[in-house]
Structures are given as structure tokens and as C-alpha cells.
Amino acid sequence: MLGQNEQNMKKRMEGRVAANKISMVLFGLATAVGLIVLVLLFYRVLTQGVGYLSLDYILNFPAPYPEEAGIYAGLIGSIFLMIIVAVFAIIIGVATAIYLEEYAPQNRFTDFIRVNIQNLAGVPSIVFGLLGLTFFVYMFSFGYTLLAGGLTMALLILPVIVVAAQEAVRSVPSEIKEASYGMGASKWQTIARVVLPAAIPGILTGAIIALSRAIGETAPLIIVGAATAIYTLPDSLLAKYTVMPIQIYNWTGRPQEEWQYVAGAGIIILLAVLLLMNSIAVLIRNKYQRRF
Amino acid sequence: MDKGLQSEGNMIDVQQMIENNKKKKTVGERIEKIIPFFLLLCAAVSVLTTLGILFTLLRESIGFFSDVSIVNFYTGTNWSPWSGEYGVAPLIGGTLLVTLIATLVAVPLGLMAAIFLSEYANDKVRRIIKPILEVLAGIPTVVYGYFALTFITPMFQSIIPDLGIFNALSAGVVVGIMIIPMVASLSEDAMNSVPNALREGAYGLGATKLEVVFKVVLPAALSGIVASIVLAISRAIGETMIVTIAAGATPNLTFNPTESIQTMTAFIVQAATGDTTFGSTIYYSLYAVGMTLFVFTLVMNLIAQYISRKFREEY
Amino acid sequence: MSKVMEEKTNVRNEQTKKPEVKSEVKKEKTNSIIEVNDLNLWYGSDQALYEVSMDIPQERVTAIIGPSGCGKSTFLKTLNRMVEMVPIVKTSGSIKYREQDIFSSKFKEEYLRTKVGMVFQKPNPFPKSIYDNVAYGPRIHGVKKKEILDQIVEKSLKGAAIWDELKDRLHENAYGLSGGQQQRVCIARALAVEPDVILMDEPTSALDPISTAKVEELVQELKEKYSIVIVTHNMQQAARISDKTAFFLNGELIE
Ligand SMILES: Nc1ncnc2c1ncn2[C@@H]1O[C@H](COP(=O)(O)OP(=O)(O)O)[C@@H](O)[C@H]1O
Ligand SMILES: [Mg+2]
């Protein structure tokens, strides 16, 4: 009687151990799915696009024939757009973060700003496009221009920059702030000369990551009227422009297969730019990581 | 004459200089007062952005509903704006279909990845795999759209021969892949914050790892996991480029994932790229659809926040 | 408008007053530079200091000792009003620096802190170069000329007995220095604005014995020119370096 019970126990135990082993493999495989897809995606893009990749491709404007088409307008347009986005989003984002971390009183309005930023981060990017269309394109009469696109994108990534900057400002040790106050520095002197310089690596890392999100965004720029094909570079804030993702979208949508290769080449360039930006962010982070 | 000079023979007296500069300090004091005001103005930009979004969505939607009755908009089942039919159900249906497929892909894969990373993987494996998963979240959506259209769809077509070039299935699967990192990393955070004492208690009773995961870790981390799923769903609802490129532009109230459909976001893109005249009914319909989309995602985000706030109180 | 005028006259008053005080001081060195009377301090509803009255003698080392949590740091930080950075702090009683009430609205805390400098328990240099660390104080108070700053930096580092060690490394980041060197740079940083009083809160507790000895030696040199208040939990240290010792217990001064 007792022996059989033990036998049962042992059998059940073996079953449980086996289930444990199988599930571990299963969980590992599930984790691998994401990685496999990533590899497939890179492989696909590379094999499709690399044939069309050349210096000409980088330096050519859009063209009616796949062999002549290039991403120059998009590449330069993306860079110009990012400069506008960076200027507005970093200034306003860092200022917001400093306000929230150093000045904001503990009251309802401050809580409201915090919750609001959190919610803004969850608004679909295309809704920001509608915001930009109403205000920047029509109400402020900027039209379908670099400025309208840049401001729209700046608002889109503002929450990301605020959160990153808040973290960077918060991580400045209070000891060195005290040292500054102890020297008779005022609040703003302490922030401008001690807190901000110490927070800059963190702010920069966050800003670059936010910008790398912006440089791949397509939907809001379609709404605020980025051109699909232009043949000159933008020469002012109020010039027409296009960006890499818009060109890629446009090429992807064409029925002839060659255009997919052109799009693939564009994706390689876009991903290369993203890789470059993220490497810079990682470099900054590693260089300044163990400072405090 | 003064201390510095007497004791060191040095020509400078810092305290004297500070005294002299005190007059300038009144300028400094003014800056000190202006700065917080300037910073508050910047902080107000994010509030203004929200107000601006609400304002524009509401105002233009009201404009739209003076042309098209709100009842017809939300109860009609035919969406063909170029012939004056504005029943939004097909767009909502398309959005929900894609979101459902994405959820079916992302939740099991994301959760299993989270369990693997938090319970099974050692530190070294975790430190390699997590950043790679994060890369998935950083791929531009236009690239995913391209991948769905030129790779996933042809692949599925070899299994399902009558799958169209544009279909909800490929788009949904790729949206699901895109949101895996979100489910995985937020759920992993939730599982990591389950106190080790709980696990040790169960191990002490002879439980295997798998049993600990299902009987201890998952229940304890449940609200965090649910919050992560809700957030990921919200992201899927708002996703635009993948569905625009791969799911087509056919407003179609169907639950057949092999058909071409149109989501709310894809309609907004379609109408904005077409020659939509400012002030026309179609122009206003952009905002009515945008408003509906906004409400969907906002509700999801608020639910996620509510759940994770409760979750934080637990420990 | 009238407020600005008032402040300006105030400045002039102080300027004219200062030399008088000093000449007096020359005659009688044991004058007190800070007088504390009936000081009470609360963190919210918790009282941390009870009826503390004491004089800080000029150009002497005053040591404050007592068990941990008895209010030594709180007392020290009250002397340059750093304690007010904790928003819930309330005080009563008076503290006079050179016979002026430091709590009066006319007395700006930024100004007070240029007179009453502070060195902290843990070395806390800024993540800047050694030079920029030492030049920080003069710069925020409006000294811009490079030649003057150069002189101040040299003089202050010499004052902190670390010039010879660091004169070739002035533009290196202060974070690269050893703990003892960092602490002496922090002392040099405090010296750079030429305060009258230097408050030191357990300045050697984070240092090894050799660095501790160096800092103690430095304190002895500094008292030639500065009035020093030093918190220590170490009775021997207090005996070694101080001219006057105050014992704190549970927020009370028990001499
Ligand atoms: N920022 C603060 N907020 C509230 N209470 C504090 C704060 N700092 C110190 N205290 C309290 O004041 C008392 C004295 O602390 P402190 O001056 O740091 O003592 P010591 O330096 O002698 O160790 C302690 O009971 C401590 O808990
Ligand atoms: Mg202390």
C-alpha cells in the first residue's frame, strides 16, 4: 500500500520535472521568435536593397525610373527636420524637466502636468499629425513646410525628452547641489552651473533616443503634408521637404517590383542612420556611466 | 588694510570683490525670479498640447457632425466617404481585427519571453537578449510595413493560397511582433518586483520552477502584466504605417483575417494623402475618426494607469 | 525702487562697519565671531535642537562632539542657514554673525555663506576640473577675470596645502583624485571666497588615517586666519585639534 503510494509520488515527480524542462525550452523558443524575426527582417532588407545602394543613390533626387531614383532629398530633409525638432524639443523638454524636478510646488497643477505628460506619451502619433494640421499648417499658416513638420514632431517626442531629462536631473547627487548652495550660490546658479552640466550626458542620451524615434516616424508627417517627391533641397524653414520614411513609404506602395528594391535601399540608409544615433547614445552613456 | 593683503602679501581680496559685485546681484535676483516663470511656461507647452489636441478633435468633429448625424456615424455599417456614406463601423472593425491578431501574437510570445528572462535566464543571457528585444521596438514602423508587405504576406500566401496582397493577417502579425518588447519588458519588470521570499517559500515546499512561475510569480505580478498588455493593445490600436502599407484600404466589416480591410489610422492617412480640400466633409471626417481613435487609446491608457497604480500599492 | 536703494545703503553700511570690527578684533583675539542664543530647531514637529546658546571664538578651532543623531550636523548647518533647505524646518532664538542677526530679512543667505563656508562629511567636489572647482565660488559671485581667478585658485590650493601635489593637474577632473585629495580640494574651494568662518562636518570620517592626519594638520594651519567649527565623533581628534569643545546630547548643549 505504502510502496504503491511512493511509486505514484515518484511518477508524478518525474512528470513535474519533465514539464519543467519542456516549458523552459518553450519559453526560450518564444524569446527567440522575436530575435529570429529581427534577423529575417535585416536579412530581407539587406538582400532586397543592397543592389540599389550606391553613392548615386545617396546623392540622387527622386526620379521616375527606379535605377535613377535616390534618397538625397529625404536624407537631407530628415537631417534638417531633426535639427528643428532637436532645438524645440530639447529646450522645452529640459526646461519642463527642471521645472518639475527643482521648482514645481507640490500641488494639483504639478500633478496634473505630470499625469498629462504620461498620457501624452500614449497618444497615437497620427493624432499629433492632426494637431499639426489644424494649428501649424492652417491656423498659423505655415503650410506644408519644414517648420510645420518640425514643430509637430517636436511635440510628439516632447514627453520622451521630458521623462529622460527628469531622470537625468534627479540623478544628480544632492551632495554637489549642497556644495554649491554652501558656496552662496543661488538656486538658478546651482542649476545652471552644477545640475545641468552634470545632467547633460543623461539628457543627451535621452534626446538622441527620442530623436531616433522621430527620424523613423512617418504618419504624422504624411498628415502635415511632407512631399513625396521634391527635386530641390529645402532652403528655409518655410520650404517644402520630404524625409526618408516618406520616400520609403512612397516607393513601397508602387506596384512594380523594382521599387521595392529602391525602398529596401532606403531602409538600409535609414537603419544605418538609426544605428549611428544609437551608437552615439550608448557611447555617451558608457563614457559617463560611473561618474557619481 | 585688509586681511588678504596683510597675511599673504597678495593683491586681491575676494570678499571686497564680492561686495563690489553685489550691486550687479540685483540683476541676478531679477533673473532668479524670471527663470521659474519661464520654466513654467515651457512646462505649460505639454498641457497646451493636450488642450490643443482636445480642441482640434472636438471642434472639427462638431463641424463634421453638423453634416453627418452622429447616430449614422456610429451605427452605420458602410464607410465610403467619397460617395457620402459615413458609417464608421468598418473602420473600427478593421482596427479591432488587426489589434486582436496582434494581441494573439504578442501576449503569449511576450509573456513567455518575460518569464524566460525573469525566471530562467541568467544575468549574462538577460543582458544580451534584452537590448536585442528592445531593437524590435525601435524599428521604424514604415520598415515593418515594408517587411509585412514584401516578406510576411508572400510567406503566408504559400500556406494560404487565396490570401490577398493586402490582408489583415500579415499586418496584425507584424503589429504583434512590434509590440512584443512592450509586453515582455513591462511584464518582466512586474515579475522582477515579486519578492524573492514568495518564491523561496514555494521552493521550500518542493515546487519546480514551472510551478513557482504559475502558482506564485504570475498571480503576484498579475496586475503589472495586465497593465502591460493593455498598454500594448493601445499601441496596436494607434499603429498606422504597418496597417496602411500591408492591410489595404478596403473598409470592410469582416472578421476574416485573410481579407483586405481598413483601420481608422489607415483611413486618416489615405484621406490626408488624397486631395482632400480643407473644409470639406471628408476633411472633417478625418477628425471625427481621429477623435474616435483618440478615445479608444485614451481609455486604454487610463485603464493601464489605474491598474499599475493599484499594483504599486501592493508591495 | 526703494527696496533697491535700501539694499545699496545696507551694503555701504556693512562696508564701513567691517574695518571697525576688524581693528577691534586685532586688539582682542578671543572675541567671538558668532553668538548663538536660545536656539531651538524643529523638523516639522520633531524638535532637534533645544535652547542652544554658545559663542564661536574668532580664529580658534571649536569642536562639536556627541553621539550620532544628537543634532551636531543640524546645528552646524543652522550657522550658515543651509538647514533651511529642508522645507519643514522652523527655528527660534537668535544667531549673530559679527553682531548682525543672520535670520533678519536684510541678511541674504547667499551673502552669509560667503562669510561662513562649509566643508561636508563626504568629499563632494563638482564633476569639473580642479581649477573650476576652486574657482566656482569667486565665479558665481561675479569674478570673471582669468588672471584674478588664477591667483585665487593658486592661493586657495596653497591654503589647503595641496598646491604642490596638484599644480600640474589643475585641469583634470576632480573625480580622479583620491578621497583625501578631494576633501582638501573641497577645503580649497571653501577658502576661495575667503570666508571668516569654516564649518566642517566630520570632514575626516570618510578618509583613511594618513589623509585624516593631513586634514587635521591643515585645520591647525587654517586657524591662523579662519574661525573653524568642526564636528567630529572622535574624542581624541577633538582633543588634538580644538581650542574649545562643545558636547551635544539629544539636541542639547551640555558643555
Ligand atoms: N532632513 C531631516 N528631516 C527630518 N529630520 C531630520 C533631518 N535631518 C536630521 N533630522 C533629525 O534631526 C536629528 C539630528 O540629526 P543630525 O543633526 O544629523 O545629527 P548628527 O549630525 O549629530 O548625527 C536626528 O534625530 C535626525 O533624525
Ligand atoms: Mg551628522
Side-chain angles (χ1 to χ4, degrees):
Chain A
M1 203 53 194
L2 203 83
Q4 196 169 7
N5 237 343
E6 244 167 48
Q7 201 91 37
N8 273 345
M9 278 273 281
K10 212 175 160 197
K11 250 192 188 158
R12 221 180 305 143
M13 189 69 210
E14 276 164 9
R16 286 166 55 204
V17 171
N20 187 39
K21 283 219 174 100
I22 293 168
S23 65
M24 176 172 168
V25 174
L26 205 63
F27 295 148
L29 282 179
T31 311
V33 169
L35 312 185
I36 292 167
V37 171
L38 200 61
V39 171
L40 280 177
L41 189 147
F42 283 136
Y43 175 76
R44 178 71 179 175
V45 167
L46 279 176
T47 50
Q48 295 259 30
V50 84
Y52 272 75
L53 208 57
S54 66
L55 197 61
D56 278 348
Y57 179 81
I58 295 173
L59 295 178
N60 278 2
F61 281 102
Y65 308 105
E67 307 79 44
E68 292 167 15
I71 200 151
Y72 190 53
L75 182 61
I76 302 297
S78 283
I79 292 171
F80 284 1
L81 192 78
M82 284 312 111
I83 292 172
I84 298 174
V85 174
V87 168
F88 283 99
I90 293 177
I91 290 176
I92 297 175
V94 172
T96 304
I98 293 173
Y99 178 78
L100 288 176
E101 291 301 315
E102 301 282 338
Y103 284 98
Q106 293 243 337
N107 61 24
R108 287 259 174 105
F109 184 64
T110 305
D111 287 344
F112 175 67
I113 296 179
R114 289 210 171 92
V115 172
N116 174 62
I117 287 168
Q118 198 183 350
N119 278 317
L120 216 47
V123 173
S125 62
I126 196 163
V127 172
F128 281 88
L130 293 174
L131 173 79
L133 184 65
T134 303
F135 286 95
F136 302 135
V137 175
Y138 290 122
M139 198 181 279
F140 301 164
S141 306
F142 296 154
Y144 295 146
T145 59
L146 203 50
L147 183 61
L151 291 176
T152 304
M153 283 306 216
L155 293 183
L156 175 68
I157 63 164
L158 187 59
V160 186
I161 295 203
V162 171
V163 171
Q166 270 183 289
E167 239 161 65
V169 168
R170 211 179 300 142
S171 70
V172 175
S174 62
E175 285 86 9
I176 66 172
K177 287 199 251 178
E178 275 182 17
S180 171
Y181 287 119
M183 300 296 303
S186 65
K187 185 156 195 168
W188 176 243
Q189 284 175 324
T190 300
I191 291 169
R193 291 168 190 245
V194 174
V195 177
L196 272 183
I200 271 180
I203 291 173
L204 270 185
T205 309
I208 293 173
I209 286 168
L211 285 176
S212 74
R213 181 182 163 201
I215 207 169
E217 270 289 351
T218 322
L221 291 178
I222 296 177
I223 310 299
V224 295
T228 47
I230 59 162
Y231 303 94
T232 52
L233 294 182
D235 54 3
S236 80
L237 285 176
L238 295 177
K240 292 205 158 304
Y241 68 104
T242 188
V243 291
M244 287 186 281
I246 298 268
Q247 287 199 294
I248 292 165
Y249 167 58
N250 182 259
W251 290 327
T252 305
R254 297 186 186 180
Q256 299 86 355
E257 208 178 332
E258 290 80 15
W259 287 109
Q260 286 182 11
Y261 303 146
V262 179
I267 290 174
I268 295 175
I269 304 280
L270 177 61
L271 292 180
V273 172
L274 280 175
L275 183 70
L276 181 72
M277 292 171 79
N278 280 286
S279 312
I280 293 172
V282 170
L283 278 183
I284 295 176
R285 185 185 295 159
N286 290 348
K287 174 142 192 249
Y288 291 97
Q289 206 164 30
R290 289 173 296 114
R291 270 190 336 157
F292 300 129
Chain B
M1 197 176 78
D2 65 67
K3 213 167 56 179
L5 203 82
Q6 282 175 348
S7 52
E8 287 259 319
N10 205 319
M11 288 307 291
I12 42 171
D13 179 358
V14 180
Q15 284 288 345
Q16 193 61 49
M17 279 188 261
I18 293 173
E19 291 285 348
N20 296 343
N21 282 322
K22 259 182 113 184
K23 266 173 244 131
K24 285 187 216 148
K25 273 226 149 169
T26 53
V27 180
E29 272 159 27
R30 212 163 302 150
I31 290 176
E32 210 68 33
K33 288 214 177 79
I34 293 171
I35 289 281
F37 183 70
F38 166 78
L39 296 176
L40 177 62
L41 278 186
C42 289
V45 169
S46 70
V47 176
L48 287 180
T49 305
T50 306
L51 292 180
I53 288 174
L54 292 176
F55 169 80
T56 179
L57 291 179
L58 278 174
R59 193 187 66 166
E60 315 291 28
S61 296
I62 289 169
F64 175 77
F65 289 127
S66 67
D67 287 352
V68 176
S69 104
I70 188 166
V71 177
N72 286 352
F73 182 73
Y74 282 113
T75 58
T77 55
N78 184 4
W79 182 265
S80 36
W82 282 270
S83 43
E85 290 283 349
Y86 290 99
V88 79
L91 296 186
I92 294 180
T95 298
L96 293 183
L97 180 59
V98 168
T99 304
L100 178 71
I101 297 167
T103 311
L104 289 178
V105 171
V107 169
L109 290 178
L111 275 187
M112 285 198 273
I115 294 171
F116 180 75
L117 289 174
S118 118
E119 306 296 320
Y120 289 86
N122 61 29
D123 236 29
K124 203 172 145 199
V125 173
R126 198 176 304 132
R127 231 175 298 144
I128 295 169
I129 291 182
K130 275 189 81 168
I132 302 180
L133 273 183
E134 294 300 323
V135 174
L136 273 181
I139 301 276
T141 53
V142 69
V143 177
Y144 275 122
Y146 171 90
F147 183 64
L149 181 71
T150 71
F151 184 78
I152 299 290
T153 296
M155 191 177 82
F156 284 172
Q157 273 172 333
S158 64
I159 308 166
I160 313 165
D162 54 349
L163 188 70
I165 294 178
F166 302 110
N167 62 82
L169 182 64
S170 305
V173 168
V174 174
V175 172
I177 289 165
M178 180 192 80
I179 59 175
I180 285 177
M182 205 168 180
V183 177
S185 79
L186 293 178
S187 296
E188 198 217 330
D189 288 346
M191 292 178 199
N192 275 336
S193 60
V194 173
N196 252 335
L198 287 183
R199 290 189 185 83
E200 276 150 20
Y203 284 128
L205 296 174
T208 64
K209 203 159 225 179
L210 183 66
E211 289 157 350
V212 171
V213 166
F214 277 96
K215 297 200 176 122
V216 177
V217 178
L218 289 185
L222 190 63
S223 41
I225 292 171
V226 173
S228 82
I229 294 172
V230 176
L231 272 184
I233 290 175
S234 166
R235 173 71 66 83
I237 292 175
E239 169 41 39
T240 308
M241 293 319 292
I242 299 175
V243 290
T244 302
I245 293 172
T250 326
N252 183 359
L253 192 56
T254 176
F255 281 96
N256 180 352
T258 62
E259 285 179 34
S260 169
I261 48 104
Q262 187 169 41
T263 63
M264 292 188 271
T265 51
F267 166 72
I268 296 175
V269 168
Q270 183 195 18
T273 28
D275 277 324
T276 306
T277 24
F278 177 71
S280 64
T281 309
I282 293 187
Y283 172 81
Y284 285 130
S285 78
L286 279 182
Y287 290 86
V289 173
M291 166 95 139
T292 312
L293 171 71
F294 178 76
V295 170
F296 266 85
T297 54
L298 182 68
V299 168
M300 287 298 183
N301 289 339
L302 292 179
I303 291 175
Q305 277 168 36
Y306 174 76
I307 296 171
S308 57
R309 204 172 310 135
K310 271 184 71 175
F311 158 72
R312 227 173 291 142
E313 281 159 13
E314 277 170 27
Y315 300 113
Chain C
M1 195 61 208
S2 67
K3 221 178 184 177
V4 177
M5 292 278 280
E6 221 176 74
E7 267 168 23
K8 277 186 184 165
T9 41
N10 194 13
V11 170
R12 228 168 281 134
N13 281 344
E14 276 164 21
Q15 282 177 342
T16 48
K17 210 188 284 171
K18 208 173 72 173
E20 287 171 28
V21 176
K22 275 197 170 170
S23 53
E24 238 171 83
V25 163
K26 286 287 160 205
K27 276 178 242 151
E28 198 175 284
K29 274 231 161 190
T30 48
N31 256 1
S32 35
I33 190 158
I34 294 179
E35 290 166 20
V36 182
N37 275 308
D38 299 333
L39 179 69
N40 289 290
L41 185 141
W42 294 264
Y43 288 109
S45 57
D46 299 334
Q47 188 160 1
L49 296 177
Y50 295 85
E51 298 291 324
V52 176
S53 298
M54 99 185 251
D55 294 345
I56 310 293
Q58 187 155 21
E59 289 166 23
R60 290 281 184 278
V61 177
T62 307
I64 297 178
I65 64 176
S68 157
C70 67
K72 306 180 298 289
S73 298
T74 302
F75 176 70
L76 205 64
K77 285 194 215 155
T78 313
L79 297 181
N80 70 348
R81 295 179 60 184
M82 285 285 283
V83 78
E84 288 166 33
M85 293 182 57
V86 181
I88 53 172
V89 159
K90 280 194 289 288
T91 53
S92 78
S94 83
I95 300 180
K96 288 200 166 125
Y97 164 77
R98 290 191 187 277
E99 272 140 41
Q100 293 159 284
D101 181 8
I102 67 164
F103 293 122
S104 95
S105 59
K106 284 187 201 150
F107 209 100
K108 291 251 170 299
E109 67 228 45
E110 284 91 0
Y111 177 70
L112 173 66
R113 289 170 195 160
T114 67
K115 298 289 189 188
V116 183
M118 188 154 198
V119 175
F120 296 80
Q121 184 163 0
K122 235 177 74 190
N124 58 355
F126 302 121
K128 301 170 183 281
S129 71
I130 294 160
Y131 183 98
D132 288 341
N133 263 281
V134 180
Y136 185 82
R139 275 186 177 142
I140 57 170
H141 294 292
V143 180
K144 291 201 185 80
K145 284 218 185 74
K146 187 165 183 308
E147 314 88 72
I148 297 180
L149 287 173
D150 286 349
Q151 287 184 46
I152 294 174
V153 169
E154 178 172 349
K155 185 176 158 192
S156 309
L157 286 169
K158 278 180 176 159
I162 197 169
W163 169 254
D164 293 329
E165 265 168 80
L166 297 184
K167 63 177 178 235
D168 301 323
R169 304 168 59 186
L170 291 182
H171 296 283
E172 282 175 30
N173 196 304
Y175 274 43
L177 301 177
S178 73
Q181 287 174 323
Q182 286 188 6
Q183 193 61 303
R184 280 181 289 151
V185 167
C186 290
I187 293 173
R189 181 176 64 187
L191 297 182
V193 290
E194 295 189 353
D196 289 335
V197 183
I198 301 174
L199 311 173
M200 298 183 165
D201 192 351
E202 306 192 29
T204 60
S205 66
L207 304 183
D208 59 83
I210 296 173
S211 305
T212 299
K214 279 188 182 158
V215 170
E216 282 184 10
E217 204 177 302
L218 176 58
V219 169
Q220 291 301 313
E221 287 168 24
L222 289 175
K223 79 171 185 189
E224 299 290 319
K225 280 175 65 189
Y226 303 92
S227 315
I228 293 172
V229 186
I230 183 165
V231 170
T232 166
H233 51 223
N234 182 330
M235 203 75 102
Q236 284 83 25
Q237 185 173 56
R240 274 199 301 274
I241 59 178
S242 73
D243 306 303
K244 171 177 177 176
T245 305
F247 293 87
F248 270 65
L249 190 63
N250 296 329
E252 284 179 273
L253 178 67
I254 54 169
E255 207 68 33

